[in-house]
Amino acid sequence: RAAAERAVVVDPALPEAHVALGRVRETLDWDWAAADKELQLALELSPMNARILRSAADIPLIRGEYDKAVPLYLRSKTHDPLDDITLSELAWMYYFMGRHADAEATYRQALDLNPASAGSVAGAHWELAMVLVARGELLDALSEMQRERSGLANQGFAIIYHAMGRRIESDAAMVAAEREQSQHATPKYWSSGA
């Protein structure tokens, strides 16, 4: 926090300083208006920087303002077409918009670029599996989840098995997921659903 605040004072024309302060406001303070202000300043200072474009999309995404976030992600993708993180975040947003075909295609692009993509929230294979669940493609979802290497794979298996009506396997996967989560520190914002 102090370093980000100091960076803005030392060089108010440095877009990365505003991104850093915006991240503090977003993730530590949960002051989305202040975060958005800093990210918009960064964007004004560097309108073609792919990472800044992606960062500037965060607040509209959090607010559910997809009509504002999508163009920022697409501009970011234009300036850095090899960034699997931008693709994963765009795909996750498509998922929440109910644009499941677009979400699947975009996740597949991200995974083609980086088969170990961290995804937007959980891991790209996990997230793609959830898209496939939403589309009713449960066997494909199960196959995709088997590729996931994050600590959330068992949670994903629990969801998929539940959707398949396989209660015993779902319950067993959930027990394993709860055991795994109890062994790791989980950030507050993660467990809050934010």
Side-chain angles (χ1 to χ4, degrees):
R1 174 186 309 276
E5 290 170 346
R6 178 81 178 124
V8 169
V9 170
V10 169
D11 189 351
L14 181 66
E16 290 81 0
H18 292 284
V19 170
L21 187 54
R23 291 288 185 217
V24 167
R25 300 292 182 244
E26 176 187 350
T27 60
L28 299 178
D29 300 342
W30 286 43
D31 184 344
W32 296 335
D36 193 40
K37 177 184 171 195
E38 293 299 328
L39 294 169
Q40 291 304 314
L41 282 169
L43 191 56
E44 288 173 21
L45 293 167
S46 187
M48 294 189 297
N49 181 312
R51 290 185 183 196
I52 292 172
L53 284 159
R54 184 178 73 212
S55 295
D58 282 355
I59 301 305
L61 175 60
I62 289 168
R63 292 177 173 156
E65 297 170 342
Y66 304 129
D67 59 323
K68 293 179 183 176
V70 168
L72 292 167
Y73 280 120
L74 292 175
R75 283 176 49 203
S76 177
K77 179 182 166 189
T78 298
H79 293 292
D80 188 356
L82 301 180
D83 181 9
D84 64 289
I85 297 169
T86 295
L87 289 170
S88 292
E89 290 182 6
L90 177 61
W92 192 238
M93 186 172 42
Y94 284 152
Y95 169 74
F96 281 109
M97 295 171 74
R99 292 174 56 180
H100 298 140
D102 291 332
E104 180 180 357
T106 306
Y107 275 123
R108 294 201 186 282
Q109 288 175 4
L111 288 164
D112 284 346
L113 289 171
N114 179 5
S117 178
S120 175
V121 177
H125 291 289
W126 190 97
E127 294 167 8
L128 176 54
M130 293 302 105
V131 170
L132 295 169
V133 168
R135 295 185 72 178
E137 299 172 16
L138 302 179
L139 291 176
D140 291 338
L142 187 60
S143 177
E144 196 62 43
M145 191 59 69
Q146 290 167 344
R147 294 180 180 95
E148 182 57 51
R149 298 294 170 240
S150 78
L152 296 175
N154 278 317
Q155 181 189 74
F157 285 125
I159 294 167
I160 295 165
Y161 286 135
H162 178 78
M164 296 173 101
R166 293 164 61 175
R167 182 176 178 168
I168 292 170
E169 291 158 295
S170 176
D171 289 349
M174 197 64 224
V175 167
E178 289 170 348
R179 183 175 50 252
E180 288 169 356
Q181 290 301 308
S182 72
Q183 295 171 0
H184 303 318
T186 304
K188 268 194 226 178
Y189 68 88
W190 186 278
S191 58
S192 73

